[in-house]
Amino acid sequence: MRKRTKITVDPKYILAIIIVVCLIVMFVSFKFQDKMTPVRAVVGNVVTPMQKGINIVGAKVSDAMDYVDTVDKLVNENKELKKQLEELSAENKLLQQDKYELDSFRKLYDLDEQYAGYPKVTARVISSDGNNWYSSFVIDKGSDDGLAVNMNVMAGEGLVGRIIQVNKSYSRVLSIIDDSSNVTGTFLKTSDSCIVSGNLELINEGVIDITDIDGNADIKDGYAVVTSQISNKYLPGILIGYAKDLRKDSTNITQAGYLMPAADFSKLDMVLVITQVKDSEELEEMVTE
Amino acid sequence: MKRYISLFLTVIICFLLQTAVFQNFKLANVVPNFMVIVIASSGFMYGRKFGMYTGILSGVLMDFMYGDIIGVHILIYVLVGYMNGKGNKLYFKDDLSIPMLSLAVSDLIYNVLYYAFSFLLRGRLNIFSYLRNLILPEIIYTVVMGLIIYKLMHRIEDKMYPPVEVPLTDNGADKY
């Protein structure tokens, strides 16, 4: 055997060096947060295509498993659904009448136009977060497709979150159910403002927190909450969800409760990105005046 | 050299499993922590240095893709790798109880540290609720998946270096 002279360093010292380097890197990346994008892209550009590919396989397998699981259920469900269908079609006729009324109200609020008027781009979710503490995900469109930081993301007709990092071909979305997310909302019916914030402790119940509602506000469970005019990152009039379990705070000055998000977060597959960033400078000018 | 390449590939595969594939197979709303599995097993099997190397690689992947501040994951993972490397002295190939116990402890440490870094600092003090609803299910799921991954890593190891010929001093293990 050939003899080799090897320099051996005690792992203790390697550990110490790594810890020091880590602390420096943490400090630097915290200081220059917005300049880190190209550095992150080095890893992201390699990894995201792989995730995209393997994600399709994962979804297929999961679908197949669901299929076997549900054949029995479907037969029973079908019977029930037929019964429901009859009831619902009767109900539907009543609702249709209400709809005319609603349309005229919508025009009054000028909401409908705003909603449909936002330019949108569809994107596919390619990976969810790295661990169970965060609720963010990565979509397969980036600055090449005209996306930018702070653009709002929707699924179906409900708000999902906003973009927090943009790279060339992918971007990261922080969802509203994340523990650190806060959205200023307003009740559609009464125009009372409130704050919608994610809460990890409630994530299993499928609800998030809603706080800081005026104590005198005449609101009930089931009222719709939309994004507010005064929010500086979210465009106004996007449906967030429906209020639930509202109650007076112990101080009696404010009310709080839970909110059922309108978007289904358990199965996010395709999302809509609104390619229009809220111009908050205008808002700040109004405030300073 | 072969070992470096195989560990590199294992880390990449586990990263993909954790972030993409297993998002479809959530149990009790949690995804098993594959990164901790690789780091803990490689530390336990090959010693402190290898534990730290896999820790750095997984931390870089995690932080660059998902972290707000780069370095948090690297730091936690390297510590986990180092601690499991300490356990290398107890390493015996056919024994599963000690590595799985140390895996569970590693996952607990990872979660508690992460909680301290990102939640405690924001005033979320209710650690027991997080323990019950998030950390405990994750540990259980992780240990179950860990059994499979750990066994697979041994298979690969046996293919690369047939058992008899492995001298202890040559595989990066601690000498004493």
Side-chain angles (χ1 to χ4, degrees), chain A residues 18-19 22-23 26, chain B residues 71-80 117:
Chain A
I18 293 170
I19 289 176
C22 263
L23 290 175
M26 269 154 85
Chain B
V72 178
H73 275 108
I74 307 178
L75 191 65
I76 300 175
Y77 284 156
V78 167
L79 282 174
V80 167
F117 266 112

Side-chain angles (χ1 to χ4, degrees), chain A residues 9-12 14-15 18-19 22-23 25-26 29-30 33 36 39-40 43-44 47-48 50-51 54-55 58-59 61-62 65 126-134 136 138 164-165 170 172 179-180 198-201 203-204, chain B residues 12 15-16 18-21 23-25 28-31 48-49 52-53 56 60-75 78-79 82 110-111 114-115 117 119 122 124 126 129-130 133-135 138 174:
Chain A
V9 189
D10 193 310
K12 251 187 286 181
I14 303 179
L15 178 73
I18 293 170
I19 289 176
C22 263
L23 290 175
V25 169
M26 269 154 85
S29 71
F30 187 69
Q33 225 156 10
M36 296 309 284
V39 186
R40 289 172 187 277
V43 169
V47 171
T48 35
M50 291 197 242
Q51 287 176 326
I54 205 148
N55 203 21
V61 175
S62 150
M65 276 166 61
I126 46 178
S127 75
S128 300
D129 213 303
N131 63 20
N132 299 316
W133 293 92
Y134 262 112
S136 71
V138 176
I164 51 169
Q165 273 171 25
Y170 68 95
R172 214 177 123 213
D179 206 90
S180 60
N199 188 344
L200 189 70
E201 286 177 60
I203 208 159
N204 286 332
Chain B
I12 299 274
F15 177 75
L16 292 178
Q18 185 177 334
T19 58
V21 178
Q23 297 295 332
N24 297 312
F25 304 105
N29 235 330
V30 296
V31 177
R48 289 182 281 183
K49 274 187 200 164
M52 287 194 286
Y53 296 155
I56 294 171
V60 165
L61 282 174
M62 217 60 163
D63 271 338
F64 279 37
M65 274 305 286
Y66 301 106
D68 292 324
I69 296 170
I70 295 173
V72 178
H73 275 108
I74 307 178
L75 191 65
V78 167
L79 282 174
Y82 185 84
Y110 167 82
N111 278 302
Y114 197 83
Y115 164 81
F117 266 112
F119 275 64
R122 286 192 292 113
R124 301 277 193 191
N126 199 355
S129 140
Y130 295 119
N133 294 327
L134 203 127
I135 300 180
E138 188 188 304
D174 297 326

Side-chain angles (χ1 to χ4, degrees), chain B residues 73-150:
Chain B
H73 275 108
I74 307 178
L75 191 65
I76 300 175
Y77 284 156
V78 167
L79 282 174
V80 167
Y82 185 84
M83 277 184 285
N84 278 282
K86 278 269 183 192
N88 185 251
K89 284 177 207 153
L90 303 170
Y91 174 59
F92 175 63
K93 212 174 114 192
D94 293 329
D95 178 39
L96 279 173
S97 56
I98 296 173
M100 288 308 115
L101 190 72
S102 88
L103 173 61
V105 174
S106 306
D107 198 35
L108 181 71
I109 290 170
Y110 167 82
N111 278 302
V112 169
L113 280 180
Y114 197 83
Y115 164 81
F117 266 112
S118 64
F119 275 64
L120 195 62
L121 293 177
R122 286 192 292 113
R124 301 277 193 191
L125 299 175
N126 199 355
I127 187 172
F128 291 106
S129 140
Y130 295 119
L131 259 179
R132 200 176 55 242
N133 294 327
L134 203 127
I135 300 180
L136 213 60
E138 188 188 304
I139 291 176
I140 294 166
Y141 204 0
T142 303
V143 168
V144 173
M145 293 325 278
L147 277 172
I148 300 167
I149 303 275
Y150 189 70

